[in-house]
C-alpha cells in the first residue's frame, strides 16, 4: 500500500442524505482472524438509510461520527494467513456493523468468500444481500417445490434476488412491485407480476417474503393454513407495535410471522455463489455512483422504484 490514509463515507449527525460526507481516516490494521480488503464496490441498503435518518436511534445511539456500508466487494491486500491470496477478489458482509463504504476495510476471513468467476465488482456488489433471501426462503420458511410464494418488493435489493431464488427452488412466484417495474418482475422469472397499489384478489400463499414491513396483519391474512411469513423489515413509523406483532406470531405453529437480522458467514456466501454460478440468480444494478456522490446514492434509494441495487463504486 502506498498510503496510510483512506477515503470513507461518514456522518456526524442524524438527518437527510446531505449529512453524509467523504472524509479521511487511517487505513485499518487487521486484527486476529481478519484480512485487509481494498474495497471496489458496495451496495446501498435500506437499513443504512433508516439509521442515518435517526429512525433507529434506540439501537444506534448518539455517538458520532458514524459510518455506512454493510457489504463489500474488493481485492484482498493482506491475507494474514487466511485461505485468500493477495489480489483475490472477495465479497462479504460486515455482520451487524457498518463501515464498508471505505477504500479499505478489515474483515474477518469467515465473513468473506471468493467472488464467482466472470463477475466484475459492480455487478458482484448487487449480490451479497442474496444471503438474506437464502436464509429467509430456505432456512426459515423451508420453501418447497410447488408452493406458492409471494415476494413483496419483488424488484428491490433483496426482492429481486428472492424472486429468482424462489423460481429456482421450484415455487410458483408472485411478485408485488410498482407498475413501472412489473416488466422486471416478469424478466426475473415470476409467474405473476402484480402492481402493489392495485393488487386485487391475491389468493392464498404458502410463503410470503416481506421486504417492506408495513401492514403485516393484512399480509398474514393471505397465508394458507400452514403458511409462513418472513419479514426482513418492520414498520419504522410504529416500531413497538410492529415488533410486538412479529413476536406474538413467531411462536405459532401455523401461519407464523418471523423476522431475522442477516449475519452471513463464508458458508452462506459460498451457497450464494453456487446459485449465481448455476445461472439461477443474476444481479440487477439500477445505478452506479462514485463514493463522492454517496449522498445522491442514498437519495436515489429513498425515492423508491429501484430496479435491483444501487451500487457505490470505489475505483
Amino acid at each position: 500500500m502506498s498510503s496510510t490514509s483512506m477515503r470513507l463515507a461518514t456522518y456526524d449527525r442524524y438527518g437527510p442524505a446531505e449529512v453524509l460526507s467523504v472524509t479521511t481516516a487511517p487505513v485499518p490494521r487487521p486484527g486476529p482472524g481478519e484480512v485487509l480488503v481494498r474495497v471496489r464496490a458496495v451496495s446501498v441498503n435500506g437499513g443504512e438509510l433508516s439509521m442515518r435518518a435517526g429512525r433507529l436511534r434506540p439501537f444506534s445511539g448518539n455517538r458520532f461520527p458514524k459510518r455506512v456500508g454493510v457489504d463489500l466487494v474488493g481485492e484482498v491486500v493482506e491475507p494474514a494467513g487466511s485461505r485468500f491470496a493477495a489480489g483475490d477478489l472477495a465479497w462479504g458482509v460486515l455482520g451487524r456493523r457498518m463501515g464498508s463504504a471505505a477504500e479499505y476495510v478489515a474483515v474477518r476471513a469467515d465473513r468473506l468468500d471468493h467472488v464467482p468467476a466472470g463477475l466484475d465488482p459492480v455487478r458482484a456488489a448487487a449480490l451479497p444481500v442474496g444471503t438474506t433471501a437464502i436464509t429467509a426462503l430456505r432456512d426459515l420458511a423451508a420453501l418447497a417445490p410447488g408452493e406458492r410464494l409471494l415476494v413483496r418488493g419483488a424488484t428491490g435489493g433483496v426482492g429481486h434476488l428472492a424472486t429468482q431464488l424462489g423460481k429456482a427452488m421450484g415455487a410458483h412466484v408472485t411478485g408485488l412491485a410498482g407498475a413501472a417495474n412489473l416488466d422486471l418482475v416478469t424478466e426475473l422469472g415470476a409467474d405473476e407480476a402484480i402492481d402493489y397499489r392495485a393488487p386485487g384478489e391475491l389468493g392464498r400463499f404458502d410463503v410470503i417474503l416481506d421486504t417492506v414491513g408495513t401492514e403485516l396483519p393484512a399480509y398474514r391474512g393471505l397465508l394458507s393454513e400452514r403458511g409462513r411469513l418472513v419479514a426482513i423489515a418492520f414498520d419504522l413509523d410504529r416500531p413497538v407495535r410492529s415488533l410486538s406483532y412479529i413476536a406474538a406470531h413467531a411462536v405459532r405453529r401455523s401461519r407464523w410471522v418471523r423476522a431475522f437480522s442477516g449475519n452471513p458467514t463464508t458458508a452462506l456466501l459460498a451457497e450464494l455463489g453456487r446459485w449465481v454460478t448455476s445461472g439461477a440468480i443474476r444481479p440487477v444494478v439500477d445505478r452506479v455512483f462514485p463514493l463522492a456522490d454517496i449522498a445522491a446514492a442514498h437519495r436515489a434509494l429513498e425515492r423508491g422504484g429501484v430496479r435491483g441495487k444501487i451500487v457505490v463504486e470505489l475505483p
Side-chain angles (χ1 to χ4, degrees):
M1 290 181 349
S2 59
S3 175
T4 58
S5 65
M6 65 173 186
R7 297 178 302 145
L8 73 163
T10 66
Y11 56 100
D12 58 9
R13 65 190 186 282
Y14 292 123
E18 287 71 24
V19 302
L20 288 165
S21 63
V22 176
T23 59
T24 60
V27 172
R29 299 181 62 180
E34 293 184 331
V35 301
L36 185 66
V37 177
R38 169 58 168 97
V39 179
R40 295 300 179 183
V42 301
S43 75
V44 181
N45 297 278
E48 299 173 72
L49 273 58
S50 299
M51 187 169 290
R52 186 216 70 226
R55 303 182 77 185
L56 297 175
R57 197 182 307 244
F59 308 101
S60 57
N62 289 306
R63 294 184 63 181
F64 295 97
K66 295 187 184 297
R67 300 185 177 190
V68 296
V70 297
D71 52 41
L72 68 140
V73 176
E75 293 113 6
V76 173
V77 177
E78 295 180 15
S82 68
R83 63 193 182 88
F84 297 96
D88 283 355
L89 189 63
W91 62 5
V93 180
L94 294 185
R96 297 190 176 100
R97 66 183 178 97
M98 296 190 183
S100 63
E103 289 183 307
Y104 292 91
V105 177
V107 191
R108 282 174 46 182
D110 63 1
R111 301 286 180 192
L112 294 171
D113 195 34
H114 293 91
V115 171
L119 280 178
D120 62 80
V122 166
R123 294 175 66 241
L127 290 166
V129 293
T131 56
T132 298
I134 294 172
T135 300
L137 297 183
R138 185 193 65 185
D139 300 337
L140 287 180
L143 180 68
E147 288 195 309
R148 286 175 52 83
L149 166 67
L150 175 67
V151 179
R152 190 176 177 211
T155 59
V158 174
H160 90 280
L161 301 172
T163 298
Q164 298 174 75
L165 180 62
K167 281 303 297 180
M169 295 175 69
H172 179 284
V173 179
T174 298
L176 288 182
N181 287 347
L182 295 182
D183 61 327
L184 178 57
V185 179
T186 301
E187 290 172 18
L188 295 171
D191 299 280
E192 296 178 286
I194 297 177
D195 183 352
Y196 76 91
R197 294 185 182 89
E201 291 293 328
L202 290 171
R204 298 285 178 177
F205 297 91
D206 302 295
V207 175
I208 297 175
L209 176 60
D210 190 298
T211 71
V212 181
T214 60
E215 303 178 272
L216 291 184
Y219 281 91
R220 179 176 178 268
L222 300 178
L223 291 174
S224 62
E225 181 60 29
R226 296 186 179 276
R228 296 87 74 195
L229 188 156
V230 181
I232 65 168
F234 60 91
D235 189 344
L236 291 172
D237 292 325
R238 302 172 181 83
V240 174
R241 181 188 301 179
S242 179
L243 292 172
S244 296
Y245 181 84
I246 293 171
H249 291 84
V251 296
R252 293 178 178 267
R253 293 188 176 181
S254 63
R255 302 178 71 199
W256 53 252
V257 179
R258 293 177 189 167
F260 72 100
S261 176
N263 195 21
T265 58
T266 296
L268 192 53
L269 290 161
E271 174 69 12
L272 173 65
R274 289 191 287 272
W275 284 111
V276 173
T277 300
S278 74
I281 293 178
R282 65 178 177 88
V284 177
V285 176
D286 184 296
R287 295 178 65 185
V288 182
F289 294 84
L291 181 63
D293 291 339
I294 192 165
H298 274 226
R299 285 194 296 269
L301 184 56
E302 285 174 328
R303 282 194 292 270
V306 173
R307 297 166 66 92
K309 267 292 187 180
I310 302 288
V311 173
V312 173
E313 188 174 18
L314 295 88

